[in-house]
Amino acid sequence: MIQGNELRDALISGANAILKHKTQVDELNIFPVPDGDTGTNMSMTMGSAAKALADAQGSAGEIAKIAASALLRGARGNSGVILSLLFRGFSKGVEGKEVLSGTDLASALGMGVEAAYKAVMKPTEGTILTVSRVACEKGRAAAEIDDDAVYVWNAICKGAAEALEETPEQLPVLKKAGVVDAGGKGLCYIFDGMMSVFKDHVIVTSEVPASKTDMANDEFFRNAAAEFDQEIHFTYCTEFIVGRDPSCKKDPMDLRAYLEGIGDCVVVVDDDEIIKVHVHTEEPGNALQAALTFGQLLTVKIENMKEQHRKAAEENEANKAKAAAASMEPVDPTEEVGFVAVAAGDGLQTLFTDLGCTRVVSGGQTMNPSTDDIYAAVLATPAKTVLVLPNNKNIIMAAEQTISMVNDRKVIVLPTRTIPQGLSAMLAYDPDASVEKNAIAMMEAAGNVETGLVTFAARDSEFGGMKIKEGDILGLENGKMTLVERDPVHTCSKLTRSMVTRNTSFITLIYGSDVTEEQANDAYNRIRNKVSSDIEITLVNGGQPVYYFIISIE
């Protein structure tokens, strides 16, 4: 049986566990999404509960209630809100209980899972929701065999881990990136941290100074804003907490329905005392007025996301320029494996960096870097084995020259001929496999990618029976010119549709510096309307020169 003080220590241990591993969870967000850093959000949310529980005493039900209240107030981001809902439901499930059996734990978690699913407008499987649901199912099954709390919670932890491993099969974007769901991973850390107390009576230590947590908070918001490459539909991120008027009998879901009519990204979470709200809208004043009909405003935060994004992007560019000046200084090879890629355009360079490349050499078509440029990047990569991805057929030989030039580390050139091949190769990298196996697997992945390019004619010419005028828009399929058109968006749509087959699962559109966001979205929508809904389409701002669009077909 779990006593109140054991549940308190377990929740603190879970908070420490996610704080300890938040960087690993953050790194699962490979792709630059406005979702921000999941690990940071979850650790800060759990941290609010740990702080509230530091000196708490009471029954298991009382401890759960304290934690649930603190989690609700401290929830950050969608993952943090879902986490708070899980423990809020858990709290209701153990209300009034002095101690908890295995059956109590599983049943209470089930109430949390139900609450979380109900709160999300369009629940997506392959996320933290799935991990919590499967964990609960395993816990309930175990409770029917043995009511021991440790036995049941162990089953919950194992169920969560098993569900986590299946998330890439449920969400194609995870499978493509070769990662598991970040929120689900964070939940596993929390459950495991709790298990440490239930089983061994040991509270996991965070090993992170409190001051770093505060610093991470500011850094998180700067980075999250700077990585917003998608269109911001509403200007104001509005968050507030309403102290509920006991005489008000209105359903908080009425407030949610109203907010969905004036904005998006709506989250409304309530308990007996407060209503916590998050919404993106052009009408923050109307949102607050609607909230006042339910009680008094306790806290209000309104941020201009467009202005925040602009300032953060400027700061990011300034920092990047400073870092680039000193980035190619030689360093000792202290790590096992590192990567150097060649790419042009801020978006593409950032994408390769996010995928694990230590150094990205600026270059590509019409801007081939020299062997010395690549050599300097190799020496600036602190790895005993450096894998180089030229990403252009005209750069492969220059890259290969560095093999004999470098004496203190091994250089392997993966002859990727296009940007999509390079990206696919990086996504196929398995840190648990040998370098040799990775080299084979990465090139196999690169070979399975079809590349489309949309560019312009530099001069009048005739090719393959087609008369081409300077400025014409050209469509190339795997290096072969197949289209001569007048409009880059039309060419992109037509070329992409011609390359899609019944085996296509993913399309990535990478738009360049000469394409506006409006044009990029137009291309995306044209393709989305013409291909199967089963095909996942991703739009990326690559910022590359020369090519209006780089198209990856997998």
Side-chain angles (χ1 to χ4, degrees):
M1 304 295 280
I2 302 299
Q3 307 285 336
N5 62 331
E6 290 177 295
L7 180 60
R8 174 201 63 207
D9 291 349
L11 290 166
I12 292 173
S13 182
N16 289 345
I18 184 60
L19 178 58
K20 181 178 181 178
H21 296 287
K22 70 181 179 68
T23 299
Q24 290 95 311
V25 177
D26 285 343
E27 289 173 349
L28 292 175
N29 294 315
I30 292 181
F31 299 104
V33 288
D35 286 336
D37 293 304
T38 302
T40 299
N41 279 341
M42 295 182 76
S43 67
M44 295 182 73
T45 300
M46 283 299 295
S48 64
K51 183 177 180 180
L53 291 171
D55 300 314
Q57 300 289 333
S59 66
E62 291 167 342
I63 292 296
K65 184 175 182 179
I66 294 171
S69 180
L71 284 164
L72 176 60
R73 288 168 168 78
R76 294 175 181 268
N78 288 339
S79 57
V81 170
I82 290 173
L83 191 60
S84 73
L85 289 167
L86 289 172
F87 282 103
R88 175 192 169 193
F90 181 94
S91 173
K92 290 185 178 296
V94 301
E95 189 173 0
K97 294 184 182 291
E98 284 289 329
V99 296
L100 305 179
S101 66
T103 300
D104 292 331
L105 290 171
S107 297
L109 179 59
M111 292 186 67
V113 171
E114 184 179 352
Y117 267 87
K118 285 183 178 179
V120 178
M121 190 181 305
K122 295 180 180 179
T124 301
E125 295 301 331
T127 65
I128 184 176
L129 293 174
T130 305
V131 173
S132 64
R133 175 177 56 77
V134 174
C136 173
E137 292 169 356
K138 296 293 185 180
R140 282 174 167 164
E144 293 180 2
I145 299 172
D146 189 337
D147 196 34
D148 177 68
V150 174
Y151 177 81
V152 171
W153 198 259
N154 185 55
I156 287 171
C157 290
K158 287 185 176 180
E162 292 171 3
L164 179 68
E165 293 304 312
E166 291 297 314
T167 55
E169 301 301 321
Q170 297 167 305
L171 277 180
V173 67
L174 297 178
K175 190 170 185 177
K176 181 182 179 184
V179 299
V180 294
D181 176 67
K185 182 67 171 178
L187 187 63
C188 286
Y189 280 129
I190 294 168
F191 283 173
D192 289 344
M194 295 174 68
M195 184 64 181
S196 178
V197 171
F198 291 158
K199 182 180 180 182
D200 301 319
H201 307 288
V202 174
I203 297 177
V204 172
T205 59
S206 68
E207 300 178 357
V208 177
S211 59
K212 289 184 71 174
T213 302
D214 296 335
M215 291 169 62
N217 183 22
D218 292 337
E219 183 180 358
F220 157 64
F221 281 111
R222 285 198 300 270
N223 291 344
E227 290 175 1
F228 264 88
D229 287 328
Q230 294 182 344
E231 181 180 358
I232 299 174
H233 297 286
F234 296 93
T235 304
Y236 300 102
C237 176
T238 306
E239 296 181 354
F240 52 85
I241 296 177
V242 179
R244 299 187 68 167
D245 182 348
S247 64
C248 178
K249 303 303 179 183
K250 296 172 62 177
D251 188 342
M253 290 303 101
D254 293 342
L255 176 59
R256 173 174 170 169
Y258 172 74
L259 295 175
E260 288 172 353
I262 64 169
D264 64 6
C265 301
V266 177
V267 178
V268 176
V269 183
D270 69 286
D271 62 14
D272 295 337
E273 299 178 356
I274 67 170
I275 304 172
K276 185 168 185 175
V277 173
H278 171 279
V279 60
H280 294 173
T281 181
E282 295 294 337
E283 307 170 25
N286 290 342
L288 297 178
Q289 286 294 329
L292 285 170
T293 63
F294 290 81
Q296 294 185 334
L297 291 169
L298 302 181
T299 65
V300 176
K301 182 176 75 171
I302 301 174
E303 294 181 333
N304 185 318
M305 293 187 292
K306 293 181 179 178
E307 181 66 11
Q308 182 186 52
H309 169 60
R310 184 188 66 80
K311 290 182 178 179
E314 289 177 354
E315 181 180 346
N316 217 32
E317 287 302 313
N319 291 337
K320 224 170 21 172
K322 291 179 182 177
S327 65
M328 296 305 177
E329 292 294 326
V331 294
D332 293 331
T334 55
E335 301 174 6
E336 291 302 318
V337 180
F339 299 91
V340 170
V342 180
D346 290 342
L348 282 176
Q349 291 175 355
T350 298
L351 186 52
F352 274 105
T353 300
D354 289 345
L355 287 173
C357 289
T358 309
R359 299 287 178 250
V360 181
V361 179
S362 180
Q365 193 70 13
T366 75
M367 300 176 296
N368 298 163
S370 67
T371 294
D372 195 53
D373 292 332
I374 300 172
Y375 172 74
V378 169
L379 292 185
T381 302
K384 299 172 185 177
T385 300
V386 180
L387 282 75
V388 180
L389 294 84
N391 301 327
N392 187 293
K393 64 180 182 180
N394 295 323
I395 301 174
I396 294 174
M397 289 185 67
E400 289 175 340
Q401 304 314 301
T402 64
I403 296 174
S404 59
M405 295 171 61
V406 179
N407 299 317
D408 63 344
R409 65 203 79 190
K410 183 178 182 180
V411 178
I412 298 175
V413 176
L414 301 180
T416 50
R417 300 166 67 86
T418 68
I419 289 293
Q421 284 189 354
L423 294 173
S424 184
M426 287 301 302
L427 288 168
Y429 176 72
D430 180 0
D432 295 326
S434 68
V435 172
E436 293 73 20
K437 287 185 177 179
N438 266 310
I440 294 172
M442 292 172 75
M443 284 310 301
E444 285 180 348
N448 291 328
V449 178
E450 306 291 318
T451 300
L453 301 172
V454 178
T455 187
F456 57 89
R459 65 186 67 86
D460 293 345
S461 63
E462 186 172 339
F463 183 83
M466 292 183 287
K467 290 186 177 180
I468 302 169
K469 294 183 179 180
E470 181 179 348
D472 279 348
I473 306 302
L474 311 179
L476 292 81
E477 180 177 341
N478 295 317
K480 180 181 179 181
M481 190 174 65
T482 58
L483 295 174
V484 179
E485 302 285 348
R486 301 297 300 175
D487 174 68
V489 171
H490 173 71
T491 307
C492 176
S493 173
K494 190 173 180 179
L495 179 63
T496 303
R497 287 186 283 121
S498 72
M499 295 175 65
V500 169
T501 69
R502 64 179 62 186
N503 296 320
T504 300
S505 298
F506 304 102
I507 298 173
T508 303
L509 301 178
I510 304 170
Y511 63 98
S513 57
D514 293 324
V515 177
T516 67
E517 188 174 5
E518 182 180 4
Q519 288 175 312
N521 285 318
D522 186 14
Y524 173 92
N525 291 328
R526 292 190 193 191
I527 296 167
R528 177 76 282 169
N529 292 333
K530 293 293 185 179
V531 302
S532 169
S533 60
D534 294 331
I535 297 177
E536 180 185 344
I537 306 176
T538 303
L539 185 64
V540 177
N541 181 359
Q544 72 274 5
V546 183
Y547 298 116
Y548 295 107
F549 292 93
I550 300 174
I551 306 157
S552 174
I553 307 289
E554 299 179 64

